[in-house]
Amino acid sequence: MNRDELAKELNAILNVHHFKDYAPNGLQVEGVTDIKKVITGVTASKALIDEAIKQNADAIIVHHGYFWKGEAYPITGMKYKRIASLIKNDINLFAFHLPLDAHPYLGNNAGLADGLGLINRVGLQSGVELEKAVGLVGDLPSPLTMGQFSSLIKSTVGRDVLLEVVNERCVSKIALCTGGAQGYIDQAVEMGADIYITGEVSEKTIHTAREMDIHFCAAGHHATERFGPMLLAEYLKANYQLDVEFIDIDNPA
């Protein structure tokens, strides 16, 4: 598949035009024109690039790419080694941040919600359409005790989680936003959620949960943001003449 054609397709599929983001979405580093082998992953780390080189990949698609706002401009040190490896091996790098969080069926949030079996999904921000919302709210098919929910979330993300239980109430309505979105707990409260799930936790978040009477779960930044790259790999493999594979570079954070 032609590189520019793939770039155009990805931008359209992931609704890039909906988002004002913290980094450029789309093609970040140009490589070979003809793309056949694609690797997807969470972060464009050196380990992921090395694996792509081993597999003779023509392109890498990630959630966490480069050139973030506030990032130092010089391409030196770690950034140089990563980008140099891409250029020397003629590998394209595509990155999609908020678009790969928010997509209603290929996104990180959607994948986590699928794993939990959530129905009746709406955007986490009141009045914002689901496909444009950073985060979502949905209902469990039936209420769960916190013990039952703990087992469900652990099996969904494949790891232990930090769970702050603030009362004996069962959970039915769940708000979630993957990654480092602990600051959205206030929106979860406003939406009437019983629990808020994200990837990371801040010290103040626990106090907010206790004082606002909402259960809280930090299930891992990396663990909650594997879903989008996995779903995108499956979609591209099924709909385009591409050899696509998701590579998970384990990260406990």
Side-chain angles (χ1 to χ4, degrees), residues 8-251:
K8 185 178 179 180
E9 289 289 311
L10 288 169
N11 288 344
I13 292 164
L14 296 173
N15 302 314
V16 167
H17 59 286
H18 285 331
F19 301 95
K20 184 177 180 181
D21 216 330
Y22 309 101
N25 289 301
L27 182 62
Q28 290 191 341
V29 179
E30 185 174 291
V32 65
T33 301
D34 187 32
I35 296 175
K36 296 177 181 177
K37 173 71 176 182
V38 178
I39 296 295
T40 72
V42 177
T43 299
S45 64
K46 187 63 164 54
L48 183 65
I49 296 168
D50 289 345
E51 186 61 33
I53 293 169
K54 286 180 186 178
Q55 298 200 25
N56 295 312
D58 305 304
I60 301 172
I61 306 173
V62 294
H63 180 50
H64 300 139
Y66 307 146
F67 314 116
W68 299 90
K69 289 181 181 178
E71 182 181 291
Y73 293 134
I75 299 177
T76 58
M78 182 178 72
K79 185 192 291 188
Y80 166 78
K81 291 176 183 177
R82 291 175 171 183
I83 293 175
S85 290
L86 291 169
I87 293 173
K88 289 174 184 176
N89 290 278
D90 223 5
I91 299 174
N92 294 278
L93 176 69
F94 297 87
F96 298 93
H97 184 230
L98 293 181
L100 199 53
D101 282 321
H103 197 279
Y105 60 88
L106 295 177
N108 292 316
N109 296 324
L112 179 55
D114 290 345
L116 297 172
L118 299 189
I119 57 177
N120 306 322
R121 301 177 193 180
V122 297
L124 178 57
Q125 293 76 30
S126 180
V128 179
E129 298 171 27
L130 183 59
E131 61 268 23
K132 298 179 182 179
V134 181
L136 62 82
V137 180
D139 299 321
L140 289 167
S142 58
L144 297 178
T145 66
M146 286 307 293
Q148 292 170 325
F149 174 78
S150 177
S151 297
L152 174 62
I153 187 66
K154 288 177 183 177
S155 65
T156 300
V157 299
R159 55 163 284 173
D160 286 333
V161 302
L162 183 151
L163 191 59
E164 180 66 16
V165 180
V166 299
N167 54 48
E168 296 182 0
R169 184 177 65 244
C170 290
V171 295
S172 180
K173 180 175 283 191
I174 293 180
L176 61 87
C177 187
T178 61
Q182 55 266 46
Y184 286 121
I185 190 171
D186 293 327
Q187 283 91 330
V189 172
E190 291 174 8
M191 294 294 287
D194 300 309
I195 187 168
Y196 178 56
I197 308 169
T198 187
E200 299 182 5
V201 62
S202 298
E203 192 268 351
K204 66 178 183 178
T205 312
I206 300 300
H207 294 297
T208 299
R210 292 170 179 170
E211 294 175 36
M212 299 300 288
D213 198 34
I214 182 172
H215 301 301
F216 174 78
C217 178
H221 193 135
H222 178 85
T224 59
E225 295 197 326
R226 291 179 299 179
F227 295 102
M230 285 192 289
L231 290 168
L232 184 60
E234 292 170 7
Y235 179 86
L236 292 174
K237 192 170 184 177
N239 290 278
Y240 297 89
Q241 293 183 329
L242 293 169
D243 178 9
V244 190
E245 181 181 355
F246 168 73
I247 299 293
D248 189 21
I249 304 298
D250 188 45
N251 188 324

